[in-house]
């Protein structure tokens, strides 16, 4: 099986923060992800949007290309690839803050990696979080979630349940919903801007957006059900 790889867009000047972008996949498959997969195309578009705002501030962006398209049960292949990526980023850039951005299966992978020491924040877009997905490792972590209210592939109730458990475990969680489904095509700019703002704030390259900052400060259920 081939190694994963990173498509890297280097900061203008010295790298002071890194954002790692992880696209969606499927429940089980040992085939390589398709080059023209919509999930890859959508995440690449978000990565490019964020890079355009952050590269001049010292942000390097990395798009993860998985070894295989599936999560594959206890193998958790996408999560293993995220951990591999974090090792590579650390070797290349040292202990700079890393913000993880993931969609669907990629959202599950970045949430699994959210407790790693170098991770400054996690941005999960319509994350696939099955019942029982672990949350204890997220104590003290900053987690921002955006989910489409009309998502038929990964219902928004999944991330709501996950967010509640993560908050109870001590994570700082801001969860929002938006009109649209799983592909992040409807109201695309909202998805793009959300990822950009979480990345820039998490990487120390800009202030936290007011609505996200307010949600992170709150500990009641209202903060887990806001709309954009």
């Amino acid at each position: 099986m081939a190694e994963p790889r990173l498509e890297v867009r280097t900061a203008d000047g010295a790298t002071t923060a890194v954002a790692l972008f992880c696209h969606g996949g499927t429940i089980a498959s040992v085939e390589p992800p398709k080059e023209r997969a919509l999930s890859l195309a959508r995440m690449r578009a978000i990565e490019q949007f964020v890079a355009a705002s952050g590269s001049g501030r010292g942000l390097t962006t990395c798009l993860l290309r998985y070894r295989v398209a599936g999560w594959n049960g206890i193998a958790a292949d996408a999560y293993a690839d995220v951990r591999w990526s974090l090792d590579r980023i650390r070797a290349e850039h040292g202990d700079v803050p890393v913000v993880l951005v993931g969609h669907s299966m990629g959202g599950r992978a970045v949430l699994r990696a959210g407790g790693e020491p170098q991770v400054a924040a996690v941005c999960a877009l319509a994350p696939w979080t099955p019942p029982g997905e672990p949350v204890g490792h997220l104590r003290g972590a900053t987690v921002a979630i955006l989910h489409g209210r009309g998502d038929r592939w990964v219902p928004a109730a999944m991330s709501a349940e996950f967010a509640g458990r993560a908050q109870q475990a001590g994570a700082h969680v801001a969860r929002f919903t938006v009109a649209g489904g799983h592909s992040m095509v409807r109201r695309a700019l909202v998805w793009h801007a959300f990822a950009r703002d979480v990345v820039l704030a998490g990487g120390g390259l800009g202030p936290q957006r007011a609505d996200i900052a307010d949600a992170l400060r709150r500990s009641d259920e209202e903060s887990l059900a806001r709309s954009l």
Side-chain angles (χ1 to χ4, degrees):
M1 187 181 294
E3 278 195 332
R5 59 189 174 91
L6 296 173
E7 294 180 5
V8 179
R9 200 178 306 271
T10 306
D12 300 333
T15 295
T16 58
V18 175
L20 176 65
F21 294 81
C22 306
H23 63 85
T26 189
I27 294 174
S29 173
V30 294
E31 296 297 318
K34 295 179 179 179
E35 289 293 327
R36 296 186 179 182
L38 176 61
S39 59
L40 174 58
R42 290 295 297 118
M43 187 51 72
R44 182 177 282 120
I46 292 175
E47 179 267 327
Q48 291 172 345
F49 180 87
V50 175
S53 297
S55 60
R57 309 187 199 189
L59 179 70
T60 286
T61 60
C62 303
L63 178 67
L64 173 58
R65 304 299 303 275
Y66 305 122
R67 294 164 296 140
V68 295
W71 182 266
N72 300 319
I74 61 173
D77 283 308
Y79 168 54
D81 289 354
V82 171
R83 295 191 64 185
W84 174 93
S85 301
L86 289 170
D87 288 342
R88 291 301 177 97
I89 291 168
R90 188 178 302 109
E92 179 69 23
H93 300 289
D95 291 327
V96 300
V98 179
V99 181
L100 304 179
V101 182
H103 171 239
S104 193
M105 182 186 77
R108 184 180 185 182
V110 299
L111 287 166
R112 278 276 182 106
E116 295 293 321
Q118 202 165 349
V119 175
V122 178
C123 178
L125 307 173
W128 169 44
T129 50
E133 183 67 14
V135 296
H137 63 290
L138 293 172
R139 181 175 182 82
T142 296
V143 177
I145 298 171
L146 181 60
H147 213 132
R149 291 188 291 276
D151 194 329
R152 291 181 293 179
W153 289 96
V154 178
M158 276 191 172
S159 67
E161 188 272 342
F162 178 88
R165 290 192 297 111
Q167 194 172 65
Q168 291 174 2
H172 308 293
V173 182
R175 180 179 176 272
F176 297 82
T177 61
V178 63
H182 194 64
S183 66
M184 305 184 295
V185 172
R186 184 178 177 187
R187 302 198 68 191
L189 185 58
V190 172
W191 295 90
H192 289 215
F194 187 82
R196 176 200 63 199
D197 296 342
V198 173
V199 166
L200 293 180
L205 306 176
Q208 188 69 266
R209 203 170 82 181
D211 56 348
I212 298 175
D214 184 55
L216 288 170
R217 281 195 300 267
R218 292 175 179 269
S219 59
D220 55 26
E221 292 183 359
E222 180 185 359
S223 68
L224 299 179
R226 297 187 172 200
S227 298
L228 292 181

